[in-house]
Amino acid sequence: MKIVGVSACTVGIAHTYIAQEKIESAAKKLGDEVKIETQGTIGIENELTEEEVKNADIVLLAVDVKISGEERFEGKRIVKVPTEVAIKSPNKLVAKLHEVVSAKS
């Protein structure tokens, strides 16, 4: 499965990067392709390309704040959770993404 997403927390420092790391680690364990863009105090890092978004099976937004560029995910399956969920239960979260994709296939 191809997962793309964005992580962003209110301060834009710790939780943004911890969430990215946890999601990517959990998804890779299941053999998924994954890329999580971060939007924090130093701007956008690991920016998703149009191609990556187009080819994604699902979009994960682990965000506590409004993000920039959310419109580029229009028409995609989107799961939105607080960064805390991605940090505390990344394996359950990725399993949920699999359920959503399977249910709508």
Side-chain angles (χ1 to χ4, degrees):
M1 190 166 81
K2 291 183 180 169
I3 303 166
V4 297
V6 177
S7 66
C9 67
T10 47
V11 179
I13 305 173
H15 286 97
T16 298
Y17 299 103
I18 296 168
Q20 174 200 20
E21 197 177 289
K22 297 269 190 180
I23 295 161
E24 288 181 345
S25 175
K28 284 175 183 167
K29 275 187 206 161
L30 292 176
D32 295 329
E33 279 183 47
V34 60
K35 183 174 178 185
I36 304 295
E37 173 180 298
T38 57
Q39 293 189 16
T41 49
I42 55 174
I44 294 175
E45 291 182 288
N46 205 28
E47 191 167 359
L48 299 169
T49 66
E50 258 183 65
E51 188 75 8
E52 288 166 331
V53 172
K54 190 180 93 169
N55 293 328
D57 296 305
I58 195 158
V59 175
L60 173 61
L61 301 179
V63 297
D64 302 324
V65 293
K66 180 147 180 49
I67 57 167
S68 61
E70 195 168 341
E71 67 284 346
R72 64 196 151 146
F73 304 125
E74 229 170 83
K76 302 296 289 182
R77 286 178 230 163
I78 299 172
V79 171
K80 196 172 195 175
V81 298
T83 55
E84 189 178 316
V85 171
I87 291 166
K88 289 187 175 171
S89 306
N91 296 324
K92 278 186 189 165
L93 178 56
V94 172
K96 176 76 177 157
L97 298 181
H98 279 259
E99 282 175 32
V100 170
V101 169
S102 296
K104 294 183 179 176
S105 293

